[in-house]
Amino acid sequence: MNTSLNVNTVVSRTLQALVLLYQGVAVVVFGFSVYFGLGWLRQPFLGGFLEHTMVLNGSSNGDPAWELYANGFAFGDQLISINGTSVSSSAELSAVLNATQVGQTVFVEMNNPETGRKSAEVTLTEFPANDRFAYFILPMVIGAVFILVGLWIFGFRRTEPAGRAFSVLASSLGIAIGTLFNLYTTHQFTHLWTFSVALAGGALIDLALVFPQEARAVIGRAYLRYSGFAFAILLAVNAFGTLFNLERPTDYIRAWQYIYIFTGLSALFYFSVLSYRGIRSNSPVVKSQARTILFGSLIGFGPITVWLLFSSLDIFPPFNPYLLLFLIAFPLANGFVILRYRLVRTDYWLRQGIVYSILTGLVIAVYGLMVSGLGLLFAEAMPSDNPFLIGALVFHVAVFLDPLRTRLQAFVDGTFFRGSRAYEERLRTFSHDLTSALDMNSIGQALRQHIASSLVPDRLHIYTYDTLNDQSSALPEVNGSPKGDIRFSSNSPLVRYFQQEKIPLYLDSINPPASFKSDEARISLLAARLFVALPGEDKPVGWMALGAPLSGNPYVPRDLDFLENL
């Protein structure tokens, strides 16, 4: 057993070192990408982005500054020479352009495998300011966010498979986004960009299998989680042989499309697993985590996934960097949950959203009726920006909005969220009962009464820390009778869990965590499934253990909200 633990420790530390090394590479490469990008921006703009094989890449927004497209050149045309000087690499291209000035006209010759050679005179310009933001500033900012979030999560969760998988994913996306401008311009990191996009697909598969709950199929079979990384490496190596092949300048496109398909399918797999966890998991904690992550992932990855899958079929236009804006939602949602998950009160925000959406519609409708009604009354058009009208609207909003909001909130809650309203009433009653509670036992009795009447678990244990004996023991029943003699020492895995985590813990008998092995007998005697901490000033003062609801239904996120608020 000790040998097994030592092997696991060595493997864990090795993986931590590899992930940290990859993150270090991401930081260094990001810094150099900024440096090379600023250098490229100082030189005259030829009128289009050229890939590493000197092929025009098709990025154009119709701006006159993109003169190569205005002169009839198109995606797939390969640059041959400028002013008679042969150009076969980005370094040679920069040398030629640095010897020219903005406003100068140069003679450009290109070759297309199907239509042959074509030449035209092109006037050099400055790279447009709006494109500077879209292709350089925006990707750099988003790439930096991913790299920083990856380092942040790694610092707190490096010993956990989920933390390492997320860090690899965040670093891969940080590299892919942060070096996007380099991919379009100076091409120092084309190989690394290719590798990072493929590795992002492998990290998505790994993350789907370990978070928010480890899949049963991979327990004791870690190699299954790493199969995605192995396939990603094979795809990247396959693409490496095509990247700088000037004789067959477009072969890399098909190799990249294979990577796009793999990463896109990995994202769909990730969404599917999250959806399954959010619907079918027995744990209400896992359900809440999965739903939160799924929401952020769909916003962040949805547009990119659609582009990756359809661009491989040559259906979609070239990549638009503004799609990267959606990705911000992904590290925020996932990092929030992996680092220290707190339940997002989605029902509260939904209730408020419905009320304020209705109020916004009513205010707009009232203002429209005021404008049209006064126009009919005075038989002339009434401008919508009339200051008297605006003043009258502000007056009516100030007087009537809050009473209307209160009534509308009561109607929405009573119609759609009766369960939430009932919980809020019980919370107010519990707060009132606490005013007469004089010691820990009376507080525990109040807790027990409200939980038993609201959630109706088949059993309920409330444990508090006994400083005298350095252990956690159960508070007595409502009638004062003792609640058994099952105690947990201060170094118990269950006690340590609540000292380190704020999230509720759901244990099932099918897939208990290996870290709770020493507590397994005591937890079995409790016959509890859901464990919730009792927070104190600096550390938890205890925890509650609930059995299954007598109704037979599983606990839902709203129940966890209620327990947390208690």
Side-chain angles (χ1 to χ4, degrees):
M1 182 176 177
N2 290 334
T3 303
S4 176
L5 288 174
N6 290 335
V7 170
N8 291 335
T9 301
V10 171
V11 170
S12 176
R13 290 179 178 175
T14 302
L15 292 175
Q16 291 176 45
L18 290 174
V19 174
L20 183 60
L21 175 63
Y22 187 54
Q23 290 181 308
V25 170
V27 172
V28 172
V29 166
F30 180 84
F32 276 107
S33 293
V34 174
Y35 172 77
F36 290 133
L38 291 173
W40 186 91
L41 290 171
R42 286 193 290 267
Q43 69 186 27
F45 180 46
L46 185 61
F49 287 140
L50 296 167
E51 300 279 353
H52 40 280
T53 55
M54 294 295 102
V55 169
L56 194 62
N57 79 350
S59 297
S60 172
N61 59 4
D63 191 303
W66 296 71
E67 275 216 22
L68 289 179
Y69 304 94
N71 281 280
F73 296 116
F75 172 69
D77 292 346
Q78 184 181 28
L79 179 65
I80 301 299
S81 65
I82 298 176
N83 286 340
T85 302
S86 177
V87 175
S88 60
S89 67
S90 58
E92 293 177 356
L93 175 61
S94 294
V96 172
L97 293 178
N98 284 327
T100 62
Q101 296 180 349
V102 172
Q104 182 176 336
T105 299
V106 295
F107 187 78
V108 176
E109 185 179 14
M110 287 195 170
N111 179 62
N112 186 288
E114 298 179 358
T115 60
R117 296 201 174 194
K118 181 181 178 180
S119 58
E121 289 188 344
V122 174
T123 301
L124 301 178
T125 61
E126 286 188 354
F127 192 58
N130 58 327
D131 293 318
R132 189 183 297 244
F133 174 81
Y135 288 99
F136 180 69
I137 298 176
L138 180 63
M140 289 298 177
V141 171
I142 296 176
V145 169
F146 272 94
I147 293 173
L148 291 175
V149 170
L151 289 168
W152 180 43
I153 298 300
F154 183 78
F156 286 95
R157 290 288 185 261
R158 59 184 175 274
T159 60
E160 301 172 11
R164 294 194 294 267
F166 180 84
S167 297
V168 171
L169 177 61
S171 298
S172 296
L173 293 174
I175 292 173
I177 297 169
T179 61
L180 183 65
F181 191 70
N182 185 273
L183 182 78
Y184 287 163
T185 56
T186 55
H187 315 126
Q188 286 90 351
F189 305 119
T190 302
H191 286 88
L192 185 59
W193 183 90
T194 303
F195 178 76
S196 66
V197 174
L199 204 65
L204 279 170
I205 293 174
D206 188 10
L207 193 60
L209 294 174
V210 297
F211 191 80
Q213 185 179 45
E214 190 171 15
R216 295 179 193 172
V218 301
I219 296 176
R221 305 183 186 93
Y223 59 88
L224 293 178
R225 295 193 288 109
Y226 304 140
S227 59
F229 290 116
F231 196 66
I233 292 172
L234 289 176
L235 288 174
V237 171
N238 172 67
F240 288 166
T242 66
L243 291 182
F244 288 89
N245 188 346
L246 298 179
E247 300 300 321
R248 305 179 66 176
T250 59
D251 280 6
Y252 71 93
I253 296 174
R254 180 56 61 187
W256 276 1
Q257 287 177 337
Y258 292 148
I259 294 176
Y260 295 163
I261 293 173
F262 168 68
T263 304
L265 292 177
S266 298
L268 291 180
F269 175 72
Y270 182 65
F271 298 153
S272 301
V273 172
L274 285 177
S275 301
Y276 177 81
R277 297 290 186 202
I279 297 172
R280 299 295 301 275
S281 176
N282 293 325
S283 169
V285 181
V286 172
K287 280 186 178 180
S288 294
Q289 291 176 322
R291 291 171 185 176
T292 302
I293 300 171
L294 180 62
F295 179 73
S297 299
L298 286 175
I299 294 176
F301 268 147
I304 294 286
T305 300
V306 172
W307 184 87
L308 285 173
L309 292 175
F310 284 94
S311 66
S312 61
L313 303 176
D314 299 323
I315 296 176
F316 272 22
F319 180 75
N320 188 326
Y322 286 104
L323 288 174
L324 300 174
L325 284 171
F326 294 97
L327 287 173
I328 289 294
F330 177 75
L332 295 180
N334 283 263
F336 169 73
V337 171
I338 291 178
L339 181 62
R340 194 166 300 277
Y341 181 78
R342 302 296 292 171
L343 292 175
V344 179
R345 298 190 61 191
T346 51
D347 59 336
Y348 172 80
W349 293 112
L350 183 58
R351 288 159 53 196
Q352 297 296 313
I354 292 174
V355 169
Y356 283 103
S357 296
I358 295 175
L359 285 176
T360 302
L362 286 175
V363 170
I364 294 172
V366 168
Y367 189 61
L369 290 173
M370 287 175 61
V371 172
S372 58
L374 290 175
L376 290 174
L377 182 63
F378 294 102
E380 62 180 17
M382 181 66 65
S384 60
D385 59 351
N386 187 293
F388 296 102
L389 271 179
I390 296 174
L393 178 66
V394 171
F395 173 78
H396 283 84
V397 167
V399 173
F400 298 109
L401 183 64
D402 191 62
L404 179 61
R405 185 199 65 79
T406 302
R407 290 179 177 271
L408 190 58
Q409 186 75 68
F411 170 77
V412 170
D413 290 348
T415 304
F416 302 106
F417 300 96
R418 292 181 182 177
S420 298
R421 291 282 291 183
Y423 278 156
E424 289 177 4
E425 291 294 335
R426 293 189 180 109
L427 286 172
R428 280 193 287 269
T429 304
F430 175 68
S431 298
H432 179 267
D433 292 345
L434 282 182
T435 59
S436 59
L438 301 177
D439 54 22
M440 184 62 74
N441 285 338
S442 55
I443 292 174
Q445 290 177 10
L447 265 175
R448 192 182 302 278
Q449 288 174 343
H450 285 277
I451 292 173
S453 62
S454 301
L455 303 181
V456 199
D458 61 6
R459 65 200 69 233
L460 172 62
H461 311 274
I462 300 177
Y463 275 78
T464 58
Y465 179 64
D466 182 356
T467 55
L468 182 62
N469 297 311
D470 193 27
Q471 60 186 4
S472 296
S473 57
L475 293 178
E477 296 274 13
V478 175
N479 58 12
S481 60
K483 186 67 176 176
D485 196 35
I486 303 173
R487 300 171 185 267
F488 293 82
S489 64
S490 60
N491 61 355
S492 159
L494 187 60
V495 175
R496 288 204 308 268
Y497 174 85
F498 286 119
Q499 290 173 348
Q500 299 170 0
E501 303 288 348
K502 293 182 179 179
I503 66 173
L505 175 68
Y506 185 88
L507 298 178
D508 59 61
S509 57
I510 300 173
N511 184 20
S515 58
F516 286 83
K517 195 71 177 176
S518 61
D519 275 345
E520 189 173 0
R522 284 188 290 271
I523 292 174
S524 297
L525 289 173
L526 292 180
R529 291 290 173 263
L530 181 62
F531 298 79
V532 182
L534 297 173
E537 274 190 40
D538 301 320
K539 60 181 181 180
V541 297
W543 38 272
M544 299 179 292
L546 288 75
L550 288 175
S551 64
N553 297 322
Y555 291 108
V556 296
R558 187 177 61 204
D559 300 333
L560 301 184
D561 253 347
F562 174 69
L563 290 171
E564 276 208 326
N565 289 325
L566 279 180

